[in-house]
Amino acid sequence: MTSTARGARARARTEVTAAIKEEARRQLAAEGAARLSLRAVARELGMVSSALYRYFPSRDDLLTALIIDAYDSLGEAAESAHAAVAQEGARQRWVAVCTAVRRWALAHPHEYALIYGSPVPGYHAPQTTVPAAARVGLLLIGIVRDAHRGPGLADLPLPADLRPEAERLVADLAPDLPPEAGAALVAAWAQLYGLVGFELFGQFHRVVEDREPFFRHAAARLADQVGLP
């Protein structure tokens, strides 16, 4: 086979893969992840199921591809926002990343629900999703690390009974950070996605009306929580 023919086949495969994912995202929006069906995707694209299986052997393989794409899209949005304020202080960078997470979620609610909503029955995310899922977390760790190496972090309380777990956390995630910062980072990470989820899934309805300034205030308090100066 000539290189031209191989290139054409590769382009065709890329185009079909993109079309399959796009239709699957449409189904996610209409039906939810639990009802995603390879047969329904094939039907909407005018393909026979056996042809689609050459691209994604199972529903779980397709879900995994969609999950990785969603995490990567979120990570790219956060990294782009961080790059725009890279010369600013740690607090400004932190708030910029948190704000980018919220804005991405509001623009991609069904993809956000796929990665941070209810688990899909019968699906277990493989290790291949971890690098994409870690992008935002690593960005936040980097901001705290820079502050720790530079102006320093504020003193953070850490109960004695939590210290062993906090030491394990930093050993796994950021060995150069103090245990106090590791525990605070994990809590702030969970609270960030909790804030976004509350807004996206309707828990703030008739509670918080002016949501953007509320979120920015909450993100700044998370910066306090992790000890950013």
Side-chain angles (χ1 to χ4, degrees):
M1 182 184 298
T2 68
S3 59
T4 301
R6 283 195 296 270
R9 288 187 61 179
R11 285 192 298 273
R13 184 174 183 84
T14 298
E15 290 170 2
V16 174
T17 300
I20 292 170
K21 289 181 180 179
E22 189 59 34
E23 174 56 28
R25 292 188 188 99
R26 191 195 66 77
Q27 290 193 21
L28 286 178
E31 304 288 346
R35 298 187 65 182
L36 181 64
S37 161
L38 287 183
R39 290 183 179 277
V41 171
R43 183 173 60 249
E44 290 298 322
L45 293 176
M47 300 173 64
V48 295
S49 298
S50 58
L52 191 146
Y53 291 140
R54 291 200 292 268
Y55 294 85
F56 296 100
S58 70
R59 181 210 66 162
D60 285 4
D61 290 309
L62 179 53
L63 270 176
T64 295
L66 297 176
I67 287 168
I68 291 173
D69 283 354
Y71 277 130
D72 276 332
S73 178
L74 172 58
E76 287 165 11
E79 289 161 5
S80 178
H82 182 263
V85 294
Q87 303 307 313
E88 303 292 334
R91 291 179 67 86
Q92 292 91 331
R93 291 158 56 202
W94 176 278
V95 172
V97 170
C98 292
T99 301
V101 170
R102 172 181 177 266
R103 289 178 177 167
W104 184 90
L106 293 177
H108 304 85
H110 303 294
E111 291 170 78
Y112 185 88
L114 177 63
I115 55 178
Y116 288 114
S118 299
V120 180
Y123 174 79
H124 301 283
Q127 283 295 109
T128 52
T129 62
V130 171
R135 289 173 69 166
V136 173
L138 290 175
L139 202 55
L140 295 174
I141 288 172
I143 293 169
V144 174
R145 177 181 289 119
D146 288 347
H148 177 57
R149 292 174 175 171
L153 299 171
D155 290 336
L156 300 170
L158 184 67
D161 61 350
L162 180 57
R163 181 164 291 276
E165 176 65 8
E167 290 174 347
R168 185 196 64 78
L169 284 172
V170 292
D172 288 344
L173 300 174
D176 54 334
L177 290 179
E180 293 82 355
L185 261 168
V186 173
W189 172 70
Q191 290 171 67
L192 166 62
Y193 289 108
L195 283 164
V196 173
F198 260 50
E199 179 174 0
L200 197 64
F201 302 137
Q203 282 88 350
F204 280 160
H205 180 58
R206 300 182 68 180
V207 178
V208 179
E209 297 298 335
D210 199 359
R211 292 170 185 171
E212 183 159 354
F214 175 84
F215 180 86
R216 292 184 67 84
H217 171 76
R221 297 291 71 79
L222 293 181
D224 292 335
Q225 181 177 308
V226 298
L228 294 182

